[in-house]
Amino acid sequence: MDEQSKQNGLDPALERVSEMFDRSPIALTLADTRRDDVPLILANQSFLDICGYSRDEVVGRNCRFLQSDLDNSAARAELKEALAAGTNCQVVLSNRRKNGEIFDNLLFMQALQDREGTPIYFIGSQFELERNVTKEGIDNHLGHINDAVRSVIETQSQLRSEQRRMLANAAFNVASAYLSLSNNDT
């Protein structure tokens, strides 16, 4: 388990996600919809570099703190609607770095769902907009996001398979022990 996982009491299943986030050059965050105010539970170094805050300053907080006093009412309404519906969205937000500098942030937010289809996490991918942003740059960023989400889904599937295997082994061991005890009684 990495230091970020230990400090934030992450579910062990999220350890692999945390490791993947840490390797990504794309600014990534993970928010937990099951906690009050949907706080960040993971933030990679690329995200921290963009906003200027430390991991301790962002984890446990809703990302809206980056907006401070800036007017993002239309984008916030769209985000709120996507969170409530459990759908993906893309918005541009004006954010404020720790040093007070304002920057425009293209946020891609994608829902990660449990087996019943209920969104339990949202992956946020941030792309700092500059005056010379090109469609190619945005498309490249989207490709990285899709790769990251695909990797998270594959990891989730692997963890489920591993969990099933472990349960099957446990059942086998219990049955073997029971049969062994039954054979000893006769």
Side-chain angles (χ1 to χ4, degrees):
M1 182 182 299
D2 70 3
E3 195 59 33
Q4 183 176 353
S5 299
K6 288 178 193 171
Q7 289 175 352
N8 299 313
L10 287 180
D11 181 321
L14 290 176
E15 290 176 33
R16 290 184 186 171
V17 175
S18 177
E19 291 168 7
M20 183 223 28
F21 271 33
D22 288 340
R23 289 190 307 267
S24 176
I26 302 299
L28 297 171
T29 56
L30 187 69
D32 190 338
T33 64
R34 299 167 297 178
R35 298 184 188 181
D36 287 341
D37 203 30
V38 192
L40 297 179
I41 59 171
L42 293 175
N44 72 356
Q45 190 60 50
S46 296
F47 174 79
L48 301 173
D49 291 343
I50 286 175
C51 68
Y53 287 90
S54 71
R55 187 168 277 124
D56 289 341
E57 292 172 305
V58 300
V59 170
R61 297 174 76 180
N62 184 294
C63 242
R64 95 174 66 77
F65 82 93
L66 292 172
Q67 298 169 39
S68 66
D69 60 344
L70 302 170
D71 180 27
N72 286 301
S73 52
R76 285 175 112 168
E78 195 172 335
L79 283 170
K80 186 175 182 179
E81 184 179 311
L83 284 167
T87 58
N88 302 340
C89 76
Q90 169 186 329
V91 295
V92 175
L93 296 162
S94 291
N95 284 342
R96 192 177 300 276
R97 296 185 214 284
K98 185 176 181 176
N99 68 7
E101 180 185 353
I102 296 173
F103 68 101
D104 288 329
N105 178 18
L106 176 59
L107 169 67
F108 296 97
M109 194 173 71
Q110 295 185 297
L112 290 175
Q113 302 171 343
D114 64 13
R115 292 179 192 160
E116 288 78 40
T118 303
I120 54 175
Y121 302 111
F122 274 93
I123 291 181
S125 176
Q126 292 76 27
F127 185 72
E128 184 176 354
L129 294 179
E130 300 171 6
R131 295 188 190 274
N132 60 354
V133 171
T134 64
K135 182 181 179 329
E136 180 181 311
I138 292 172
D139 288 344
N140 185 39
H141 187 75
L142 283 171
H144 285 296
I145 294 168
N146 287 333
D147 290 345
V149 169
R150 200 171 9 263
S151 178
V152 167
I153 291 169
E154 288 171 9
T155 298
Q156 185 180 32
S157 177
Q158 290 169 355
L159 289 171
R160 284 185 187 143
S161 294
E162 191 174 316
Q163 181 183 32
R164 289 182 190 123
R165 182 188 53 76
M166 290 172 66
L167 288 172
N169 285 342
F172 174 79
N173 290 335
V174 168
S176 295
Y178 176 77
L179 290 174
S180 176
L181 288 173
S182 295
N183 287 337
N184 288 338
D185 288 343
T186 55

